[in-house]
């Protein structure tokens, strides 16, 4: 049966008589579907005395039968139904889409002056690359949830992968320079910034801080050039915020280790050459780190579908069934969960700069849009309420940049604590969500189109608000630091104070 739904303006007694008589019949050369549902509908209230039917959802009287559903559709749909969509520039010529990215207008307090000449140069080259190479294609790939592999060499040429790592063909940037570079990527596309974050500030940094000299020389140079790609596998289906309780196991055998378990939400994992995996040593019950190579026997990785944010990022489910890892690929510097904190301390600084960059892009887009788009005979920028929202967005960005910059300086001076990083990440993502929401309001109907960036950024912020510690968990990390009391577990599970 093919059901076509619609509305019937009037229901006559004659129709009800016909229905009762024919509801069980097959009618040649057409399909009739009349379905009944028990729900109240005002326009059928008058039928309550005649029949027990509460709602009638009807159906079309004549749709020719066909072995090919597409043929039937073509018979009843307008000829232009299958026409390709208009290019957004032709459909809406009054405003410029994000494929032609707007100039930066968000540095109102001239905070660029806080950067060294080297850091300013990083910002300039990354901005130029992102606006030229990524902006024109990002909406298409985001919509398809595909990764643009052809841009990897262009990102590699920026020489920012490896961030603060010195030697091994890595750039040896200041943490501020590395953060600025990531923010500039996020300003145009958050997914690309997450790709670099996972590869550089998690996987590469784990090898650099915790790996052996042999591992550094073997893996880091090609990773720094983006000739090989890495992912970082910590999160599991049952353990997200409670990552230290992970249950993937590593069992010692002759010549190496056997890994068994499952990981989830692992960015870059579907195409990574190198997987940095964390597992529980069955002998010591402590967390150890391992380098697993793609296509290792027993290793399978499948893409997580149907995400609403960071759609370009290829997050995967990793399943390991008796995966053998040789002793030389055991990361000797990871002997407990605390060792991962060396890496997370840096990556959390980087993550705090992602929403800064995203907010900058949203503001830049809205700033241009409000000047181009006219209603009631004037640019939208001329209306007071729009100016108020735009200035609120701008205020958020100035404050976010200052917090992010100060966090970098605390790290560089050795004064940064886990609470500092957690407060920055949680507060900045909160303000960034507010900024994106205001931008979505300013763009009206176009605020739900990825073509104008804001809707895409709005969705991309949601996973960033959650990963590297949810807003709530990061708040509790800072809360523990300022009060001296940990409150991560329910009271019943904690010992008495």
């Amino acid at each position: 049966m093919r059901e076509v739904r619609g509305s019937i303006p009037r229901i006559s007694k004659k129709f009800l008589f016909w229905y009762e008589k024919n509801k069980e019949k097959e009618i040649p050369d057409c399909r009739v579907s009349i379905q009944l549902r028990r729900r109240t509908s005002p326009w059928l209230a008058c039928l309550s005395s005649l029949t027990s039917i509460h709602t009638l959802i009807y159906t079309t009287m004549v749709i020719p039968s066909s072995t090919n559903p597409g043929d039937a559709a073509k018979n009843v749909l307008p000829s232009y139904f299958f026409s390709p969509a208009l290019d957004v520039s032709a459909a809406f010529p009054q405003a410029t889409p994000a494929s032609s990215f707007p100039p930066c207008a968000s540095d109102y307090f001239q905070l660029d002056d806080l950067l060294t000449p080297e850091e300013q140069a990083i910002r300039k080259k990354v901005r130029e690359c992102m606006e030229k190479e990524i902006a024109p294609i990002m909406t298409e790939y985001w919509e398809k949830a595909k990764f643009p592999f052809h841009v990897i060499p262009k990102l590699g040429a920026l020489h920012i992968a490896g961030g603060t790592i010195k030697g091994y063909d890595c750039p040896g940037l200041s943490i501020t320079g590395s953060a600025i570079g990531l923010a500039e990527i996020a300003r145009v596309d958050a997914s690309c910034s997450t790709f670099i974050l996972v590869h550089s500030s998690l996987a590469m940094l784990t090898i650099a801080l915790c790996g052996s000299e042999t591992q550094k020389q073997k893996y880091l140079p090609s990773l720094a050039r983006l000739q090989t790609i890495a992912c970082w596998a910590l999160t599991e289906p049952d353990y997200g915020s409670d990552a230290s309780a992970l249950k993937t196991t590593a069992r010692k055998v002759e010549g190496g280790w056997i890994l068994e378990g499952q990981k989830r939400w692992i960015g870059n994992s579907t195409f990574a050459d190198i997987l940095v995996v964390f597992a529980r040593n069955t002998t010591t019950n402590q967390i150890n780190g391992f380098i697993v190579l793609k296509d290792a026997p027993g290793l399978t990785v499948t893409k997580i579908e149907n995400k609403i944010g960071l759609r370009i990022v290829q997050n995967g489910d990793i399943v390991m069934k008796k995966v053998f890892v040789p002793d030389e690929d055991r990361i000797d510097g990871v002997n407990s969960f605390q060792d991962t904190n060396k890496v997370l301390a840096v990556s959390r600084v980087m993550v705090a700069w992602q929403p800064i960059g995203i907010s900058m892009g949203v503001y830049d887009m809205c700033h241009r849009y409000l000047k181009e788009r006219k209603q009631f005979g004037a640019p939208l920028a001329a209306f007071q309420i729009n100016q108020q929202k735009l200035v609120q967005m701008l205020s958020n960005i100035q404050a976010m940049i200052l917090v992010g910059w100060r966090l970098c300086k605390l790290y560089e001076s050795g004064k940064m604590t886990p609470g500092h990083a957690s407060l920055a990440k949680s507060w900045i993502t909160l303000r960034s969500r507010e900024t994106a929401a205001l931008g979505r309001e300013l763009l009206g109907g176009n605020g739900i189109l990825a073509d104008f960036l804001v809707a895409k950024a709005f969705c991309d912020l949601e996973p960033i608000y959650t990963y590297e510690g949810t807003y709530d968990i990061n708040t509790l990390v800072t809360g523990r630091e300022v009060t001296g009391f940990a409150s991560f577990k329910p009271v019943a599970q904690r010992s008495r104070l």
Side-chain angles (χ1 to χ4, degrees), residues 163-217:
T164 57
I165 302 170
K166 292 180 171 61
Y168 314 101
D169 290 344
C170 295
L173 306 175
S174 68
I175 195 166
T176 306
S178 187
I180 288 295
L182 192 71
E184 283 298 323
I185 296 174
R187 173 175 168 263
V188 174
D189 183 68
S191 293
C192 284
S193 71
T194 297
F195 162 71
I196 291 292
L197 172 80
V198 170
H199 173 85
S200 178
S201 298
L202 288 173
M204 288 184 68
L205 197 62
T206 298
I207 296 172
L209 294 179
C210 305
S212 67
E213 184 61 28
T214 299
Q215 290 169 340
K216 295 174 189 178
Q217 292 180 4

